[in-house]
Amino acid sequence: MTDPIDLAALIGSRICHDLISPIGAIGNGVELLMLDGAGHGPEMALIAQSVTHANARIRFFRVAYGIASTDQRIARSEVQSILADMTRGGRLVIDWDSANDLSRAEVKLTFLLLQCLETAMITGGRITVVQGDTGWTMTGTAQRLKLDTPGWALLTDPAATVPDLTPGHVQFALVLPELTRLGRGLTVSLGEGMISFTF
């Protein structure tokens, strides 16, 4: 029997796989309409922007919630493309500095942690992700941080339980199992207008 976390990842992969094609087809249709001159108004621009954002979100979720074996790789350019499309026009800026060839399992973990940071940065801000010689450092800075989400305890405490965890905070419950798979520990640092993760 597959363990529950692997089963959740399989479900995530399946949902993203089934959604990525129709969303891509809608995007292609919008491009064709614009080439034909049938869609140059603000309405079509809004649809095109929404399709791009939805496509980026699905690609993000596919990495964050899908299957990622230790030997799977992902290119830095793909990661940067996903993040650029996902944050374009928004209040959040993500700077990504890493090697060209990346472990998909490590990127999966960083994506889950990005979502944890997002929940705290409700008015936007800047997230910097750096892969160094000894591991990863992620720093979120914002004028206002919201840190009352119950899920924060789940990041570093294996005994922590959050009975009222919501779907919007499920990423907090998935971080520690991914750290265990990678044989890593997570250090969380809090400062004035700043949250930092190292692993």
Side-chain angles (χ1 to χ4, degrees), residues 9-27:
L10 285 168
I11 293 169
S13 288
R14 175 59 193 264
I15 291 171
C16 291
H17 178 270
D18 287 358
L19 288 177
I20 199 78
S21 292
I23 290 175
I26 294 169

Side-chain angles (χ1 to χ4, degrees), residues 49 52-53 56 80-92:
Q49 182 182 8
T52 298
H53 187 262
Q80 291 174 323
S81 170
I82 292 169
L83 297 178
D85 286 345
M86 196 174 71
T87 56
R88 186 172 288 114
R91 296 175 296 182
L92 188 66

Side-chain angles (χ1 to χ4, degrees), residues 38 90 113 176 178 194:
L113 287 168
L176 201 51
E178 292 303 324
M194 183 271 291

Side-chain angles (χ1 to χ4, degrees), residues 25-191:
I26 294 169
N28 291 339
V30 170
E31 284 183 18
L32 289 173
L33 285 171
M34 294 179 85
L35 287 173
D36 284 346
H40 287 291
E43 300 87 355
M44 190 58 72
L46 180 61
I47 293 170
Q49 182 182 8
S50 297
V51 169
T52 298
H53 187 262
N55 196 308
R57 273 285 172 184
I58 291 294
R59 290 162 61 209
F60 180 93
F61 292 153
R62 196 175 196 177
V63 175
Y65 296 102
I67 290 292
S69 62
T70 52
D71 59 342
Q72 281 184 301
R73 313 299 294 176
I74 186 170
R76 178 182 62 196
S77 58
E78 182 178 350
V79 172
Q80 291 174 323
S81 170
I82 292 169
L83 297 178
D85 286 345
M86 196 174 71
T87 56
R88 186 172 288 114
R91 296 175 296 182
L92 188 66
V93 175
I94 302 175
D95 298 318
W96 185 281
D97 182 12
S98 73
N100 290 320
D101 183 50
L102 297 164
S103 157
R104 191 179 181 100
E106 290 186 9
V107 176
K108 175 184 173 84
L109 177 57
T110 62
F111 276 18
L112 290 170
L113 287 168
L114 279 173
Q115 284 205 298
C116 294
L117 287 173
E118 272 187 302
T119 64
M121 302 167 70
I122 54 174
T123 59
R126 180 177 294 271
I127 298 174
T128 302
V129 184
V130 178
Q131 182 192 32
D133 294 335
T134 58
W136 294 80
T137 301
M138 304 175 64
T139 305
T141 55
Q143 289 188 340
R144 181 179 165 210
L145 293 175
K146 180 176 169 33
L147 297 171
D148 57 356
T149 302
W152 287 98
L154 297 173
L155 295 182
T156 54
D157 183 2
T161 58
V162 182
D164 56 348
L165 192 69
T166 65
H169 299 133
V170 69
Q171 63 271 18
F172 287 97
L174 298 175
V175 167
L176 201 51
E178 292 303 324
L179 285 165
T180 301
R181 279 196 186 89
L182 290 170
R184 302 281 185 89
L186 178 70
T187 300
V188 181
S189 302
L190 299 176

